[in-house]
């Protein structure tokens, strides 16, 4: 398998058979780990970073979880390839801009990836479609244990795992989900939700993490604190908060339907019409239109199976994926044409909205 | 035939078999005439207006052109019926608000209407789909001659036909067309065109005449001067100006296609998608979307036959017609729902846009 084959293979996030829930798109956990015998990447000289890369690469590729996986030094990848890895949520923007010694190992099914020489020597990440913290925690915990047998982690009996940034110290875990919250956005409640979530010690970010915007009404919510609690405790606390937000989103949907269903149906119908017939579609507008289609599928306006189509398009309509499909770099206006062409084809196959089913 | 049957019968403007041209929607001529023996309606007492009504009604209904036609006193009509007559371009807004003695006679095919006690005792009007001044002039001239045999017109050998407003004096003719000028609107040239047309002694108005807006990029262009020239001279002069405007519109379309076809296709595709899938459509937005569909038909993006569908919908989507179809008065938000429902049905039958044919 080479990188082309990787991109030609849908990840679980794009897989139509993966289970799809109405609000939680993706569950993700990442652990930050560092080598005991070398300075953190930010303090390393190039030779030390390369040494860390070799040590980590050898250990990670030998894991059973990475059997038939792929590994790359960032230097080997072109801009488009790096962008596509970001769009699949496999690597961070930081890693994609990484210096010599930065790289990654990705499992064959693209559910597990280990970034090397990002902010820490190792950033281990698992991601799965749906609201599945137990499954993801079991998987990443097993991998971490195996890796600890191969690598001497920087660890303090008092502080726990040592990390480049003190906010990650201790468990060095970040558990997060991508939530699709269109009704909270439409009804203008997101600001209130963000404030409440922050007060509970959780962070809210956009689709592509820190500093990105919440296009498509997709928000990433994760724990902020890593110290003084067990991993299980952190996940349990986060899960409680997430359940409340899911509840609020579902209530907001019902309220909108009660107060002004026609206005919501109009938004959803127009989104379908534009996606099926538009000729120029930017990635930002596309995300917002797809968001309305996903909401329509949740409300029974489209068949349930269309949720998976939307989730795949969330990724395939990103700029990198659009260019990959066109076999080369394209300027933005050309991308908007190509994206609209792809969407016209996809939406010709999507059944027309049926509003009666959602109407009460 | 009663008024319900009149409304249930499409006028030529709504008839799919009527010939449809790319820019000129409707040709219309109206003549203002007054009775010699009574004061103009604005100066009349009610009894005089009623007397004028009776005299005119008797003369007009006896015309062969009005055989099996319909006549009404404005007082007999409810608000919705009056509104629908305006929407079919059969009567003016002024007449619909007319006092006792105001009324109309309409021919069975709805191509000819005589308004009684509007600004003048008689306003004779012919209207036909397409750019057909010769046909319309021949018809209205014949009717006027027949009527002159039955009625003593107010006429001065020096000034010609006498009218309530001096701007109509002389020939008392107003010849006009409804032009569909989307490319001149999109390319921001309409202001320039209006200025030039005004300087040539012509007036530019919106879809429903004086003071109405040009929704749907539809403009009514007519002669301003009525004195010192023959009717044929006025029509010839107007036809020359109209030919130039049609030319400019067609050139503007080509320029847009050359400069940025994708942007235009995008507008047209989105219009189709929204009309086919929207759930709330105001009459203003609908006119503008339908305008883009008509342009699409002109450019080969939709089959040519769809022009007639658009022209019918231009009328059937007006507030009065929407309420008539729903069998009663409806508030505006209910109308927007009903209009969108009708359009969803209509556009499910309309073939999807094919952009290749327009692409050069």
């Amino acid at each position: 398998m080479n990188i082309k084959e990787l991109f030609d293979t849908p990840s679980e996030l794009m897989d139509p058979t993966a289970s799809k829930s109405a609000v939680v798109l993706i569950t993700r956990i990442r652990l930050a780990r560092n080598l005991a015998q070398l300075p953190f990447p930010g303090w390393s000289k190039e030779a030390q970073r390369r040494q860390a890369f070799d040590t980590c690469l050898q250990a990670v590729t030998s894991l059973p979880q990475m059997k038939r996986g792929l590994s790359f030094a960032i230097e080997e990848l072109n801009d488009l390839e790096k962008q596509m890895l970001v769009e699949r949520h496999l690597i961070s923007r930081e890693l994609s801009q990484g210096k010599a010694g930065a790289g990654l190992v990705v499992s064959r099914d693209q559910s597990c990836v280990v970034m090397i020489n990002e902010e820490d020597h190792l950033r281990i990440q698992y991601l799965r479609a749906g609201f599945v913290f137990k499954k993801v925690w079991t998987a990443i915990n097993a991998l971490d244990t195996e890796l600890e047998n191969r690598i001497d982690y920087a660890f303090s009996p008092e502080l726990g795992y040592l990390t480049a940034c003190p906010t990650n110290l201790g468990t060095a875990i970040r558990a997060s989900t991508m939530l699709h919250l269109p009704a909270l956005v439409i009804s203008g409640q997101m600001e209130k939700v963000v404030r409440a979530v922050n007060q509970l010690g959780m962070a809210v970010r956009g689709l592509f993490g820190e500093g990105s915007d919440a296009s498509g009404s997709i928000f990433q919510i994760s724990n902020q604190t890593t110290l003084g609690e067990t991993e299980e405790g952190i996940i349990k606390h986060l899960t409680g908060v997430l359940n409340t937000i899911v509840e609020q989103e579902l209530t907001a949907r019902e309220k909108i339907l009660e107060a002004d269903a026609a206005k919501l149906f109009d938004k959803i119908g127009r989104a379908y019409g534009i996606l099926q017939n538009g000729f120029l579609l930017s990635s930002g507008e596309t995300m917002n239109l797809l968001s309305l289609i996903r909401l329509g599928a949740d409300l029974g306006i489209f068949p349930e199976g269309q949720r998976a189509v939307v989730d795949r398009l969330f990724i395939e309509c990103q700029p990198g994926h659009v260019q990959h499909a066109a076999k080369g770099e394209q300027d933005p206006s050309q991308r908007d044409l190509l994206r609209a062409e792809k969407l016209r084809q996809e939406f010709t196959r999507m059944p027309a909205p049926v509003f009666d089913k959602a109407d009460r």
Side-chain angles (χ1 to χ4, degrees), chain A residues 121-301:
Chain A
H121 287 137
L122 291 157
R123 288 271 175 120
I124 307 161
Q125 171 191 280
Y126 256 95
L127 78 168
R128 290 282 184 192
F131 198 4
V132 286
F133 270 123
K134 203 169 213 169
K135 179 173 161 188
V136 171
W137 169 243
T138 306
I140 200 165
N141 194 29
L143 185 144
D144 182 46
T145 305
E146 294 238 25
L147 201 55
E148 200 153 15
N149 294 333
R150 291 165 167 79
I151 285 177
D152 187 11
Y153 281 162
F155 183 84
S156 142
E158 197 187 338
L159 294 169
Y161 294 102
L162 301 179
T163 53
C165 179
T167 60
N168 290 318
L169 208 60
T171 53
I173 190 174
R174 172 150 294 152
S176 69
T177 56
M178 302 276 188
L179 301 187
H180 182 229
L181 305 174
L184 289 174
V185 170
I186 289 170
S187 59
Q189 295 181 69
M190 260 326 282
E191 211 179 303
K192 199 184 71 189
V193 170
V194 170
R195 248 195 332 268
V197 169
N198 288 341
Q199 277 170 1
L200 292 166
M202 312 284 161
V204 182
R205 297 188 174 83
L207 179 58
F208 291 107
E210 219 158 329
S212 69
D213 64 351
S215 69
S217 298
I218 298 171
F219 297 86
Q220 184 183 314
I221 297 185
S222 61
N223 65 302
Q224 286 272 53
T225 52
T226 53
L227 198 62
E229 228 183 328
T230 62
E231 289 88 345
E232 286 86 350
I234 288 168
I235 292 172
K236 195 178 158 194
H237 183 190
L238 178 65
T239 302
V241 173
L242 292 171
N243 277 329
T244 307
I245 299 173
V246 170
E247 200 81 10
Q248 287 175 335
E249 167 66 19
L250 296 177
T251 306
R253 292 180 185 186
E254 282 188 19
K255 283 209 177 129
I256 291 174
L257 283 177
E258 275 165 30
D260 202 349
K263 207 164 160 185
L264 183 62
F265 295 172
D266 188 52
K267 277 178 196 279
I268 292 171
R270 284 168 187 250
Y272 175 84
I274 292 170
L275 288 164
Q276 193 181 59
N277 297 283
F279 213 81
L280 286 170
L281 283 159
S282 71
S283 82
E285 184 183 10
T286 299
M287 292 300 287
N288 291 330
L289 296 173
L290 288 173
S291 160
L292 286 163
I293 302 301
R294 199 183 206 275
L295 177 59
D298 295 346
L299 298 176
I301 291 167

Side-chain angles (χ1 to χ4, degrees), chain A residues 60 79 111 315:
Chain A
V60 174
D79 287 347
S111 72
I315 293 174

Side-chain angles (χ1 to χ4, degrees), chain A residues 257 261 265 296 299-302 352-360:
Chain A
L257 283 177
F265 295 172
L299 298 176
I301 291 167
F302 302 104
V354 178
F355 293 105
D356 311 350
K357 289 189 190 160
D359 214 348
R360 296 108 191 268

Side-chain angles (χ1 to χ4, degrees), chain A residues 24-38:
Chain A
V24 184
L25 304 182
I26 303 174
T27 298
R28 170 159 66 172
I29 300 179
R30 73 112 179 93
L31 302 173
R33 298 289 183 260
N34 285 281
L35 306 178
Q37 68 276 29
L38 281 169

Side-chain angles (χ1 to χ4, degrees), chain A residues 72-141:
Chain A
F72 309 97
I74 277 297
E75 300 160 305
E76 298 172 57
L77 302 173
N78 65 35
D79 287 347
L80 197 52
E81 290 162 344
K82 287 187 274 192
Q83 191 176 350
M84 289 181 74
L85 291 171
V86 172
E87 289 170 1
R88 291 197 179 197
H89 306 288
L90 291 174
I91 66 170
S92 63
R93 283 193 183 149
E94 292 66 31
L95 188 82
S96 76
Q97 292 150 12
K99 290 180 281 190
L104 67 144
V105 184
V106 55
S107 70
R108 193 166 179 85
D109 70 355
Q110 302 176 44
S111 72
C112 176
V113 64
V114 178
M115 292 188 274
I116 303 172
N117 282 324
E118 205 238 30
E119 191 179 286
D120 296 294
H121 287 137
L122 291 157
R123 288 271 175 120
I124 307 161
Q125 171 191 280
Y126 256 95
L127 78 168
R128 290 282 184 192
F131 198 4
V132 286
F133 270 123
K134 203 169 213 169
K135 179 173 161 188
V136 171
W137 169 243
T138 306
I140 200 165
N141 194 29

